[in-house]
Amino acid sequence: MSGNTVSSIVVPFLGAIQASISALLTIGVGVAAAQWGLLNNESSKHISRVCVKIFLPFLLIANLGGQLELDTVQLYVPILIWALSYTLLSLLVGKAASYIFKLPPWTIPAVAFNNSTSLPLLLLQSLKTSGILSSLVGENEYESAIERAKSFFLMCAVVSNTLSLGQGGKHLKGFEEDVPDDVMDRMKQLANDAGDRAGDVWDAATGDEENVNGRNSDSETDDGAQDEDPNEQTSLLPHRVYSFAKRTNRRINGFGNRMYSALPKPLQSFVDWIAPFLNPALLGAVIGAVIGLTPPLQRLFFDQTDEGGYLNAWLTTPIKNVGELFVTLQVLVVGVKLSLSLRKLKEGHEEAGDVPWRAIVFVTMWRFIILPALAVPFIWALASYSPVLFNDPILWFAMMMMPAGPPAMRLLALADVNNAGEAVKMSVARFLTILYGLTPLIAFTVVGALKAAESAKNMKNA
């Protein structure tokens, strides 16, 4: 093997190792913050929720809105199909493996759903710094190609998150993965109460005076709560604005509940089925797509001010800045969660939990070896011998990388949601710690994907 050949493999491999270590060090900062008492369980949950419900949608709006155009929208169709295909395949493989090898139930989502948001984006940032992707695009296009790759990974993340949330009724209980069970129960009860108490106008019109009187007495109690000593839950809005917003919210909830109750049973079942798929990330993607596919809106949001981008400086820029917080903060939360879970493991000696070696081996093999070994040649063949994937090496590389990586951190919520024992919770924590410790294995996928994309590019240009 010639020196140039060795160098062409070693240099990208070292760059990929550096990118993986960068991700691990970021996780390590989260571990240290938890160990030093700077972040605790509740604060990590709050950070995770704001990342998922605000930062990620803003990131999707900024990236998809800027990258998605009428001329490039076809690039995202293969990503949607690919993300849906390999996720469903992984779900089937996970169920089969759990049955055949007698693996714990939590290995099914571990096999099916990898970390498709924060970790890939952080890895892409490190690969950008190392410069190993420059062989796929020209120097003048490098920055725009990296941004395009980020939008590809984000589109994949929307699909993965939506599918996992669709399974939430059985495994993950929707997007509230970071909220404790008792808080979730209280939230559901409050939502039900709000819906029941929201129909003042409706019940008055139908002559149901008993319900109206009951709601009025409850409203007086709620309004009186504003006179109590202020705390972190006290609204900063003026009392009239707060009361109006609360009443409006109740009426909307009540109207929605009554509309739902009036639907036939088949339609109610359809609403119950589709509701988990509606989440903040999907909303952000839809808004970004609308902006990107509407040229006047895209010009207004993303062009320079003197070219008609009157919203760019004062609106688009803060949206981008807030969205960029998602990548690092969500990876930090991974470290905090792992640290807190391992602390519980250390304190509960009698319920330390067991991690089956079969689960570790199978998930590692599938996520870091088998699935990438299937994905890389498959995408290479499509890119080389068909026009399906267009002539975009960054697209090929991103699609090869999408199935690789450790399981999603939602697995930590699985045990809590299913009211599992402490032993199971600690097993899940130890399992994730081991799998995230193996993140540098993704370097092999990075090198394989890079070389395959380069090969396909050369064949296309030949």
Side-chain angles (χ1 to χ4, degrees), residues 172-399:
L172 303 178
K173 295 289 184 183
F175 227 85
E176 305 298 336
E177 65 179 57
D178 299 304
V179 185
D181 290 341
D182 57 338
V183 177
M184 278 300 296
D185 292 338
R186 288 171 56 198
M187 289 172 63
K188 291 175 182 175
Q189 185 61 46
L190 288 172
N192 291 334
D193 291 344
D196 292 338
R197 296 160 51 195
D200 293 350
V201 177
W202 176 278
D203 287 331
T206 56
D208 195 346
E209 296 295 336
E210 181 179 351
N211 282 344
V212 174
N213 293 334
R215 290 191 189 99
N216 287 339
S217 62
D218 289 341
S219 297
E220 292 174 1
T221 302
D222 287 341
D223 292 339
Q226 289 296 304
D227 298 330
E228 296 178 357
D229 293 336
N231 53 45
E232 66 273 9
Q233 302 295 331
T234 302
S235 174
L236 299 179
L237 296 173
H239 178 67
R240 290 194 176 188
V241 177
Y242 172 81
S243 300
F244 174 77
K246 201 168 185 179
R247 287 195 302 271
T248 302
N249 183 58
R250 286 174 177 170
R251 290 186 176 121
I252 292 174
N253 286 337
F255 179 75
N257 286 344
R258 285 172 173 77
M259 290 292 294
Y260 175 83
S261 300
L263 292 175
K265 289 295 182 182
L267 285 180
Q268 288 185 5
S269 300
F270 175 75
V271 171
D272 292 338
W273 175 80
I274 201 173
F277 293 96
L278 305 177
N279 56 78
L282 183 60
L283 177 62
V286 170
I287 294 175
V290 169
I291 293 175
L293 297 177
T294 308
L297 285 178
Q298 190 179 52
R299 181 168 60 253
L300 196 62
F301 275 88
F302 293 97
D303 282 4
Q304 297 297 322
T305 303
D306 56 358
E307 298 176 358
Y310 302 113
L311 302 181
N312 193 347
W314 67 271
L315 182 58
T316 306
T317 298
I319 289 177
K320 288 181 179 179
N321 293 339
V322 172
E324 290 294 337
L325 294 173
F326 171 81
V327 179
T328 304
L329 280 179
Q330 189 67 15
V331 176
L332 282 175
V333 169
V334 170
V336 174
K337 287 183 176 181
L338 293 179
S339 174
L340 296 175
S341 299
L342 290 177
R343 184 183 299 172
K344 291 181 180 179
L345 168 65
K346 185 177 180 180
E347 294 171 353
H349 301 288
E350 72 281 359
E351 294 182 327
D354 182 39
V355 183
W357 64 267
R358 299 186 304 277
I360 296 175
V361 171
F362 184 82
V363 176
T364 301
M365 291 289 294
W366 178 255
R367 274 288 155 209
F368 289 101
I369 299 176
I370 298 176
L371 193 54
L374 295 174
V376 170
F378 178 73
I379 298 300
W380 172 83
L382 286 179
S384 301
Y385 299 107
S386 77
V388 174
L389 298 184
F390 311 100
N391 191 10
D392 189 349
I394 284 292
L395 172 64
W396 310 336
F397 174 81
M399 293 182 68

